[in-house]
């Protein structure tokens, strides 16, 4: 943050030199009190990067650079913040508050672990695992039994992480990486309980590689996320189109149209910030501006997405790019009576065996090293190993996002381990059609399964490895329902980044018997029809010509396949129009086929099945155009009821109000007022009115009201997690009580806040990890 470098002298006083960045930025212990008053000016490289070119001239000098003594203050504050955020994360995104809903102990359910042999422990033991994880996070925060606390946290964290691939995301992966890094670092040298017990650890220097590793990790998170956004879908504004409609972008929409906000603000600024944030944080001159931008960026993300502690964790990493002694300078400005509660500002750091101390530079024959100066040392085996680890770790982290050629078929149309790739918000998906067909291997009987059967997750629909696991699980459970040797077929239609809806898996392949390996291409994974991507511009033109009641769905299919579809009687005036290729439309009841050429259109009968065959040697694309007549009629009824309600309220209605419409006036505000309403349209209208009123009330709530609502919600969430954990630990220690008592205890733990109309199940759908990620 400053343009001058601070050096700690052997006697604890500070001298200044030109400021630099990553390599040597921060408080360093090089005995300089005996230097002559006129020092050799630092080179431009040291002013900019913090180290000299000569520090890279040999392996030994490079080891000395990475093990250079550095102030532990910034690392200690980050350790505290990370431990605090992870303790909160255990109760939220890791799911402690709804652990029994997440694992459903004993229920027939399909799971998606990284390795098939991984299974969750019995429910009470899973609570114990989470307790260990929580205590580990608290131990990291306090710096208490630091190494042991780190091992407690990362062992249980990675176990839970590997246990469920449906909850994988890049930021959860980042938490595990930082926990691993902290296990190897000396982050308990400042503001820690370990330092109170052990004087040698208290306020001792840490080697520079401690900062280098974590800074580089955060740089990779930003930079690789930016590189992945150079994809054409992001640059052209298709990846996150829906974000521009969020209220956070309303200030931009005052001066720009929504389309421009989407292209320039959401996609353009997101790309520029990710590509540049790491560099801007690195250099002294640009760091203040970078901190403003990334703070604004992460605060917006915390409101845009349900991403738990990620935004706050990234904010906690930002000060790591400042000079390592920033906490001392910052907290020294606080009033004296607050000092006992804050990180210490004095004395200066003491020498540590983890660092390499260079001898003082010879400047005059009569200069003597002060008695308190650290003894010069040469790099030992330990220092060389840590330097080698730093190089290998950084290289591995740059390699992992591009390891797709090793792990084939893990993340839908882009092969590779998606959870390790920093492809953050690069893709948006919508699912139009999901059909699971089973066939009895002995009798040949064919049937259909609910897509959500035996599973809580919907994420398996996009990943070949999870689809294989799901099919294997279904083949295990279906024989219990008199379905012998089941064959499972999936017909899943997905649109990625506003493209055509298209198949992602071959519907002709029995996935139970299909071969799958993470190291070979997936033969039953259909390729993304990228050649049809230019049609997305045409989509907008077509949608612009339609009225508000007309809907359109764009479909693309492969040669030799067909789409079987049913037109509901609620859909009027449904037609299919061919855009490209050649198709044959079969009306099942009529047993007739109609061939369409590009541009041709035909009407489809309501209440009947039809099939669209892709004929010829190229993929076809077509669109369904329809009107939801039932919804349109409902909207007309709503408009009439709303007009009648307004006329009665302002006294312009001359006719007496029918008795059945009496609830229109005032009564809809009372919960349950629609119970006695017999007219279904009026009942739905009243519910919508109440819901709209609640939404308006929430939007217009004051800051204190919002804060109170947030605090109450979090209180009941934490309360349930604590009580359910206490019940589980009691069961492990003393054995479970009678079922009646256990039922009452769980009901008490699940008690909701007063005046809350939603059920716990509804809340769980909104919780992180329970929706489709």
């Amino acid at each position: 943050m400053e343009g001058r470098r601070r050096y700690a002298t052997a006697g604890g006083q500070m001298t200044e030199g030109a400021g630099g960045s990553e390599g040597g930025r921060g408080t360093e212990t090089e005995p300089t009190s005996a230097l002559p008053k006129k020092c050799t000016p630092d080179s431009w490289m040291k002013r900019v990067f913090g180290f000299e070119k000569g520090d890279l001239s040999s392996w030994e000098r490079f080891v000395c650079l990475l093990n250079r003594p550095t102030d532990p203050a910034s690392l200690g504050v980050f350790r505290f913040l990370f431990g605090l955020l992870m303790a909160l994360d255990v109760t939220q995104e890791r799911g402690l508050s709804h652990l029994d809903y997440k694992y459903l102990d004993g229920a027939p359910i399909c799971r998606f672990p990284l390795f098939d042999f991984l299974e969750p422990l019995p429910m009470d033991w899973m609570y114990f695992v989470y307790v260990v994880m929580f205590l580990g996070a608290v131990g990291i925060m306090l710096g208490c039994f630091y190494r042991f606390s780190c091992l407690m946290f990362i062992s249980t964290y990675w176990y839970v992480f590997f246990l469920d691939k449906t909850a994988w995301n890049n930021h959860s992966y980042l938490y595990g990486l930082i926990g691993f890094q902290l296990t190897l670092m000396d982050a308990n040298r400042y503001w820690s309980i370990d330092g109170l017990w052990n004087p040698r650890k208290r306020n001792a220097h840490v080697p520079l590689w401690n900062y280098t590793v974590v800074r580089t990790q955060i740089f990779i998170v930003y930079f690789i996320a930016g590189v992945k956004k150079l994809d054409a879908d992001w640059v052209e504004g298709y990846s996150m189109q829906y974000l521009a409609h969020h209220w956070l972008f309303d200030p931009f929409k005052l001066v720009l149209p929504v389309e421009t906000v989407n292209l320039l603000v959401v996609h353009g600024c997101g790309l520029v910030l990710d590509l540049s944030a790491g560099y801007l944080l690195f250099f002294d001159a640009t760091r203040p501006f970078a901190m403003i931008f990334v703070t604004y960026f992460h605060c917006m993300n915390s409101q845009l997405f349900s991403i738990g502690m990620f935004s706050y964790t990234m904010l906690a990493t930002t000060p790591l790019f400042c000079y390592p002694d920033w906490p001392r300078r910052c907290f020294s400005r606080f009033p004296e009576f607050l000092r006992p509660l804050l990180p210490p500002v004095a004395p200066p750091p003491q020498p540590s065996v983890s660092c390499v101390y260079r001898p003082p530079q010879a400047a005059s024959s009569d200069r003597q090293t002060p008695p308190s100066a650290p003894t010069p040392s040469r790099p030992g085996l330990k220092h060389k190993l840590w330097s080698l680890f730093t190089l290998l770790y950084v290289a591995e982290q740059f390699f992992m996002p591009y390891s797709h050629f090793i792990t084939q078929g893990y993340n839908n149309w882009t092969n590779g381990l998606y959870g390790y790739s920093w492809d953050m918000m690069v893709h948006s998906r919508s699912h139009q059609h999901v059909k699971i067909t089973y066939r009895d291997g002995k009798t040949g009987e064919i049937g259909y399964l609910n897509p959500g059967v035996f599973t809580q997750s919907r994420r398996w629909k996009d990943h070949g490895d999870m689809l294989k696991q799901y099919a294997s699980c279904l083949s295990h459970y279906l024989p219990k329902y008199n379905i012998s040797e089941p064959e499972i077929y999936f017909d899943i239609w997905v649109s990625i980044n506003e493209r055509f809806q298209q198949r992602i898996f071959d519907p002709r392949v029995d996935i139970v018997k299909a071969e799958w390996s993470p190291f070979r291409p997936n033969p039953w994974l259909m390729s993304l029809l990228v050649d049809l991507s230019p049609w997305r511009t045409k989509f907008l033109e077509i949608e612009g010509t339609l009225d508000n009641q007309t809907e359109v769905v764009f479909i693309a299919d492969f040669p030799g396949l067909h789409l079987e579809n049913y037109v509901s009687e609620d859909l009027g005036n449904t037609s299919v129009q061919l855009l490209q290729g050649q198709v044959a439309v079969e009306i099942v009841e009529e047993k007739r086929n109609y061939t369409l050429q590009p541009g041709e259109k035909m009407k489809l009968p309501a209440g009947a099945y039809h099939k669209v065959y892709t004929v010829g040697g190229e993929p076809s694309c077509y669109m369904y155009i329809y009107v939801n007549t039932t919804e349109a009629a409902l909207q007309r009824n709503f408009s009439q009821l709303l007009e009648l309600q307004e006329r009665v309220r302002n006294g312009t209605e001359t006719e007496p109000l029918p008795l059945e419409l009496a609830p229109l006036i005032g009564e809809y505000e009372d919960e349950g007022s629609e119970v006695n309403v017999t007219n279904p349209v009026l009942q739905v209208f009243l519910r919508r009115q109440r819901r709209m009123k609640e939404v308006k009330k929430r939007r217009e709530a004051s800051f204190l009201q919002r804060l109170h609502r947030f605090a109450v919600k979090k209180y009941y969430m934490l309360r349930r997690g604590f009580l359910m954990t206490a019940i589980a630990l009691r069961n492990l220690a003393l054995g479970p009580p009678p079922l009646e008592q256990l039922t009452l205890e769980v009901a008490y733990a699940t008690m909701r806040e007063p005046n809350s109309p939603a059920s716990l199940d509804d809340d769980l759908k909104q919780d992180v990890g329970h929706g489709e990620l």
Side-chain angles (χ1 to χ4, degrees), residues 8-10 29-35 357-361 367 369-370 373-374:
T9 66
T29 298
E30 294 180 13
T32 58
S33 59
L35 290 175
Y357 295 88
R358 289 180 289 182
Q361 300 176 6
R367 191 182 71 180
T369 302

Side-chain angles (χ1 to χ4, degrees), residues 89 93-94 169 171 175 298 300-312 425 768:
D89 179 79
E93 192 168 1
R94 293 321 114 199
N169 48 47
H171 63 262
Y175 300 159
H298 290 303
M300 287 187 68
N301 282 344
S302 68
Q303 300 300 311
L304 285 170
F305 308 109
S306 297
I307 50 178
M309 295 293 110
F310 177 59
S311 298
Y312 311 107
M425 298 301 171
V768 176

Side-chain angles (χ1 to χ4, degrees), residues 84-104:
L84 173 63
L85 293 171
M86 290 303 99
L88 296 174
D89 179 79
V90 168
T91 66
Q92 298 187 81
E93 192 168 1
R94 293 321 114 199
L96 177 62
S97 62
H98 51 264
L99 206 59
D100 49 334
Y101 286 81
K102 183 175 182 179
Y103 290 106
L104 294 177

